[in-house]
Amino acid sequence: MTSDTNQKVKAAHLQRNAYLYIRQSTLRQVFENSESTKRQYALRQKAVALGWPEDRIIVIDTDLGQSGASAADREGFQRLVTEVSLGRAGIVLGLEVSRLARNSTDWHRLLEICAFTEALILDEDGIYDPAHFNDRLLLGLKGTMSEAELHVLRARLQGGILNKARRGELVIRPPIGLIYNSEARLVLDPDKQVQVALRLLFDTFRRTGSAMATVRTFRRQNLLFPRRVHTGPQKGDLVWGVLGHSQVLRILHNPRYAGAFAYGRSHTRKTVDGGCEIIHVPKEEWETLIPGAHAGYVSWEDYEQNQRQLHESAQAMGSDRRKSPAREGPALLQGLILCGRCGERMTVRYHRREGHLWPEYMCQRDGIEHAKPRCQQIPGAGIDRAISELLVDAVSPVALEVAFSVQQELQCRIEDADRLRQKQVERAQYEADLARRRYMRVDPDNRLVADSLEAEWNSKLRTLSETQQERERQREQDRKVLSEPQRAAILALATNFPALWRDPNTPDRERKRMIRLLLEDITLLRGDQITLHIRFKGGAAKTLTLPLPLNSWQQRQTSLDVVKEIDQLLDHHTYPQIAAILNEHGIRSGEGKAFTSRIVARIQRSYALIYDRLRKAGMLTLKEMAALLGICPQQVKIWDRHGLIRGHAYNDKNDCLYEDPGENPPRKAQGIKLSQRSVNRVVSQRIEEVQCEA
Ligand SMILES: [Zn+2]
């Protein structure tokens, strides 16, 4: 160390702490590269030589085993930066300082902070003062070199992988059913059971054309599917389990089953919040694709055919399903509904009816994965309507709440003050009560004492009433203070929102966005009625119940009042007459059409109006009559035709109910012609007016 370096260390530096930062990227390095760790700890002696007392040298080694690529989850590095920025550091020590941070941004930030707080930096090569331009340049260079080194390392590694991949020689963990043999060639798994399972899967898909149907087939036949364990103590073991939908899709999409070597089908990307997301790449952009590279279960043509099939099915199923940003399509709550039965997110399906799209919310994820029936499905129109109404009604309280949450602290303080005042009121009340008791207890003859106690009681009562009034006044004022500045904003929101909401020009997508601003999610449960638990943003919740929506045939049903009306009219009118009367009164059928005699007849028939009336009048059915007379049903009809008994038609097919023949029923009489017997009969008077049909 030259005298120059010693000159850099000033008394001011020595008054502050020295920080020794120690790091090894991976745990393996921590064990294998203990030499480097020793060197890092040896830097401590340098600090002592420069004049720092032992107890002022602070070692930060919490990052042992952490990668240096980013500071985000390196607690130790962050602590170092904090200490430096608080001006506590006189010097920062590190082996090859550039190793302090492998990310240039982190490194430059540290340099800048060191320059600001006049902290020195020391590594094995020397001592630097980041406040000096030359030193900072050198340090910056070291940081850049270090990052470049990391980059070159990575590139060399990546390049090696890519080269191998381009030749199709890269060893990638094979999917189930394929295995590397002793010559490092990919072959079919020699386990015949595994092969059979895979072949069955591909055959079933070829036959049914649907991944869902494939799962269902396996499930129905109680067939298990193999899976290889990749981690844990059972690593490498084969386990048999239930086949899942996503598993089928993975297998069908995997080109390796067609004997093709593929590399670069997906890549990962870091997200802003430190996570990772997997991005699937279209086939044209894969790094490498070598068909026929090894053995497979299907041909390349079959593979491509399967891809087309899957793509078509995916289109047919629609994409409007997952928790997703607002899309086109009228289902307001798309992506916001949770199933009240199993907790999965429900999806949307649209039905086209009369030129409109009708949404239906359904819970089917588990059903699809395991080929089970749907968990629940509920027509969406009624739910959407209820939620819109709720929002239009509730948007002012919601807005209020948003405003309140901003001012929550203020609110808290006001509440605290009010509690204090409440305590004061209670105290005054207590004292007044005490004074009253004292006054009551005193001997009335002792005038002097009694007078003074009465005066005290009065004074306490006055205090009580004053405290109460003060509290009321303050509360009133607080209310004013809170509501005044917000009233305008709330009013504006509350008035603008419904107008915007109901405006037919507002696109569905915008309406959905508004819902997403206001609602967290909705839990839907279908029972005897539909229960909606609505969670607003900010924690407020509300529960709505809706009646189950009517089936489409129920929706088109003629109202019961009209049916009753028809029932009464049937006594004295024909079908055309009834239709005319109903139309005259402006009554419409359930489908909204004008009545015709055909419609009246259909209603009469479906509600069995005449039948009921005849039965009530004690008439017998064909079977009952046959049993009563001891003849076959066919004979009953013949007797009716010849007037031995009297039948009444109850529908347009001339099916009849029969009058009870009474005390003296006709009997079988061999040898007498029916036409002769009918002489004595009264001519059957069918109720012509009701059987007449248009
Ligand atoms: Zn469910």
Side-chain angles (χ1 to χ4, degrees):
M1 225 163 277
T2 63
S3 61
D4 178 42
T5 59
N6 280 331
Q7 274 168 16
K8 281 181 185 164
V9 182
K10 308 259 167 58
H13 293 129
L14 289 171
Q15 276 165 10
R16 291 183 267 161
N17 297 335
Y19 288 91
L20 173 56
Y21 180 73
I22 293 177
R23 188 178 67 74
Q24 289 286 5
S25 302
T26 62
L27 272 180
R28 181 182 286 183
Q29 276 184 345
V30 174
F31 287 114
E32 290 177 357
N33 206 355
S34 56
E35 189 52 39
S36 149
T37 315
K38 270 183 210 147
R39 269 164 66 211
Q40 296 196 42
Y41 280 107
L43 279 177
R44 179 193 253 279
Q45 295 313 313
K46 283 204 174 182
V48 175
L50 284 169
W52 267 274
E54 285 264 6
D55 58 326
R56 298 276 293 283
I57 303 171
I58 294 159
V59 178
I60 299 179
D61 55 4
T62 40
D63 286 346
L64 281 177
Q66 300 274 345
S67 159
S70 158
D73 38 66
R74 284 188 302 138
E75 205 183 303
F77 185 74
Q78 283 173 351
R79 185 182 154 209
L80 178 69
V81 173
T82 313
E83 297 286 333
V84 174
S85 57
L86 287 173
R88 290 185 193 145
I91 192 166
V92 175
L93 313 157
L95 190 72
E96 299 168 44
V97 270
S98 50
R99 299 186 61 151
L100 288 179
R102 275 253 153 137
N103 175 315
S104 222
T105 327
D106 292 347
W107 175 235
H108 282 280
R109 198 174 301 134
L110 180 66
L111 282 188
E112 222 161 278
I113 297 169
C114 280
F116 263 126
T117 58
E118 294 178 353
L120 302 175
I121 289 183
L122 178 139
D123 69 3
E124 278 193 316
D125 299 334
I127 188 161
Y128 313 90
D129 185 350
H132 288 181
F133 174 74
N134 281 337
D135 283 8
R136 198 163 65 229
L137 189 69
L138 192 61
L139 287 172
L141 210 60
K142 282 192 171 208
T144 311
M145 297 275 283
S146 165
E147 206 184 8
E149 185 189 317
L150 197 70
H151 171 77
V152 170
L153 262 177
R154 195 181 285 153
R156 208 173 290 155
L157 205 67
Q158 200 71 34
I161 290 177
L162 266 181
N163 271 339
K164 270 192 159 178
R166 282 198 193 111
R167 293 196 304 270
E169 288 169 9
L170 186 68
V171 174
I172 307 174
R173 188 171 68 203
I176 185 74
L178 293 171
I179 216 165
Y180 280 105
N181 66 6
S182 50
E183 287 126 43
R185 288 198 59 81
L186 205 57
V187 292
L188 301 190
D189 195 324
D191 186 331
K192 283 280 174 261
Q193 200 183 352
V194 173
Q195 283 195 19
V196 168
L198 271 158
R199 289 197 197 285
L200 181 66
L201 187 147
F202 283 110
D203 287 347
T204 315
F205 181 76
R206 191 175 310 128
R207 192 161 44 80
T208 58
S210 142
M212 183 72 189
T214 310
V215 180
R216 205 177 292 132
T217 307
F218 270 72
R219 189 183 161 74
R220 208 181 298 128
Q221 302 180 1
N222 279 327
L223 295 173
L224 297 178
F225 197 80
R227 185 168 63 82
R228 206 165 289 280
V229 182
H230 295 303
T231 51
Q234 284 181 301
K235 189 173 172 180
D237 284 4
L238 197 68
V239 289
W240 291 81
V242 179
L243 181 67
H245 184 253
S246 48
Q247 202 177 358
V248 174
L249 289 183
R250 261 202 314 277
I251 289 172
L252 291 171
H253 281 306
N254 194 336
R256 308 210 80 185
Y257 287 109
F261 176 88
Y263 182 77
R265 290 165 62 212
S266 65
H267 59 90
T268 54
R269 188 166 64 188
K270 285 226 171 70
T271 56
V272 181
D273 55 1
C276 258
E277 65 176 324
I278 294 176
I279 294 162
H280 292 278
V281 180
K283 197 171 82 191
E284 300 74 45
E285 293 169 28
W286 291 354
E287 291 281 351
T288 318
L289 176 62
I290 308 174
H294 50 76
Y297 285 86
V298 290
S299 70
W300 184 249
E301 290 70 39
D302 283 346
Y303 170 78
E304 293 207 302
Q305 168 61 30
N306 288 351
Q307 300 313 300
R308 275 194 295 278
Q309 179 81 45
L310 288 169
H311 182 72
E312 274 161 28
S313 316
Q315 299 293 92
M317 296 300 271
S319 53
D320 211 353
R321 352 194 79 225
R322 287 173 298 273
K323 162 82 172 173
S324 48
R327 295 170 194 273
E328 307 297 339
L332 278 183
L333 308 175
Q334 161 240 321
L336 288 179
I337 293 197
L338 299 174
C339 172
R341 215 173 272 169
C342 68
E344 286 281 356
R345 205 164 278 279
M346 293 177 82
T347 50
V348 183
R349 183 170 74 174
Y350 289 109
H351 300 279
R352 186 173 285 282
R353 204 159 63 223
E354 292 155 13
H356 286 285
L357 285 177
W358 298 86
E360 184 168 36
Y361 296 112
M362 46 199 357
C363 175
Q364 54 182 1
R365 190 151 306 160
D366 193 50
I368 287 177
E369 185 65 23
H370 297 114
K372 287 185 202 158
R374 281 185 201 111
C375 181
Q376 51 175 359
Q377 67 190 95
I378 305 170
I383 296 169
D384 282 6
R385 209 176 310 122
I387 294 287
S388 328
E389 274 161 25
L390 174 76
L391 284 185
V392 169
D393 288 349
V395 80
S396 49
V398 172
L400 239 176
E401 207 197 338
V402 173
F404 272 33
S405 71
V406 173
Q407 300 235 343
Q408 199 149 32
E409 206 188 326
L410 189 59
Q411 179 86 32
C412 279
R413 244 177 279 157
I414 285 166
E415 270 166 18
D416 284 346
D418 186 54
R419 255 195 299 279
L420 199 66
R421 265 180 240 119
Q422 160 88 27
K423 284 272 172 284
Q424 280 170 349
V425 172
E426 282 167 13
R427 175 94 204 154
Q429 179 76 52
Y430 169 74
E431 279 176 2
D433 288 348
L434 198 66
R436 186 182 61 93
R437 278 205 297 279
R438 276 199 202 120
Y439 171 71
M440 300 301 260
R441 247 185 263 135
V442 77
D443 186 345
D445 289 340
N446 195 346
R447 298 281 334 152
L448 207 64
V449 177
D451 279 354
S452 81
L453 280 180
E454 191 182 6
E456 193 192 335
W457 180 24
N458 278 332
S459 129
K460 292 290 179 200
L461 279 179
R462 237 188 337 270
T463 316
L464 173 64
S465 107
E466 273 167 15
T467 332
Q468 271 169 338
Q469 279 172 8
E470 169 69 10
R471 179 172 179 236
E472 282 311 314
R473 200 179 56 77
Q474 275 294 343
R475 275 170 66 139
E476 195 57 41
Q477 201 177 347
D478 288 347
R479 245 200 307 275
K480 267 186 203 152
V481 167
L482 255 185
S483 61
E484 211 49 68
Q486 290 154 358
R487 185 164 294 160
I490 290 167
L491 270 180
L493 247 177
T495 46
N496 286 346
F497 179 77
L500 185 62
W501 186 263
R502 295 200 179 107
D503 185 350
N505 291 327
T506 307
D508 289 324
R509 195 208 293 245
E510 293 308 317
R511 234 174 248 125
K512 289 196 218 176
R513 284 199 181 132
M514 282 191 260
I515 281 201
R516 271 143 211 270
L517 291 176
L518 297 170
L519 298 187
E520 189 67 46
D521 54 38
I522 297 163
T523 310
L524 206 60
L525 186 63
R526 179 183 184 142
D528 295 335
Q529 49 191 359
I530 297 173
T531 314
L532 300 167
H533 294 288
I534 302 138
R535 280 206 305 149
F536 288 93
K537 295 264 180 190
K542 193 168 167 66
T543 301
L544 283 185
T545 49
L546 301 176
L548 281 178
L550 299 173
N551 295 330
S552 54
W553 67 267
Q554 286 172 320
Q555 284 170 14
R556 293 200 304 268
Q557 218 171 13
T558 304
S559 84
L560 277 179
D561 290 342
V562 176
V563 175
K564 233 176 252 170
E565 181 92 36
I566 294 174
D567 188 19
Q568 279 164 15
L569 289 170
L570 276 170
D571 284 339
H572 306 288
H573 300 277
T574 61
Y575 293 165
Q577 282 170 343
I578 294 174
I581 292 170
L582 291 173
N583 290 335
E584 213 167 279
H585 288 87
I587 299 170
R588 290 281 174 271
S589 77
E591 287 166 310
K593 292 177 186 161
F595 279 95
T596 60
S597 44
R598 187 181 289 274
I599 294 178
V600 175
R602 198 185 60 221
I603 290 171
Q604 178 275 117
R605 202 160 57 239
S606 57
Y607 285 87
L609 297 178
I610 300 177
Y611 183 92
D612 286 351
R613 192 155 343 110
L614 294 176
R615 283 295 274 177
K616 253 179 231 154
M619 306 223 178
L620 306 173
T621 63
L622 186 64
K623 271 188 184 165
E624 287 168 347
M625 198 64 187
L628 183 84
L629 299 176
I631 54 179
C632 69
Q634 205 49 42
Q635 201 68 25
V636 174
K637 286 186 181 173
I638 297 170
W639 283 18
D640 174 30
R641 217 175 299 139
H642 288 87
L644 296 182
I645 51 175
R646 192 187 279 188
H648 295 271
Y650 59 82
N651 64 16
D652 53 342
K653 291 192 191 71
N654 224 359
D655 290 330
C656 294
L657 289 175
Y658 300 91
E659 281 180 28
D660 192 334
E663 294 292 301
N664 195 13
R667 290 180 198 288
K668 284 191 210 171
Q670 215 94 41
I672 307 175
K673 280 188 178 165
L674 279 171
S675 51
Q676 286 168 357
R677 294 183 63 184
S678 65
V679 175
N680 303 328
R681 69 186 172 101
V682 188
V683 174
S684 163
Q685 289 176 341
R686 301 214 171 143
I687 31 178
E688 290 295 330
E689 64 270 27
V690 296
Q691 108 192 33
C692 148
E693 219 254 318

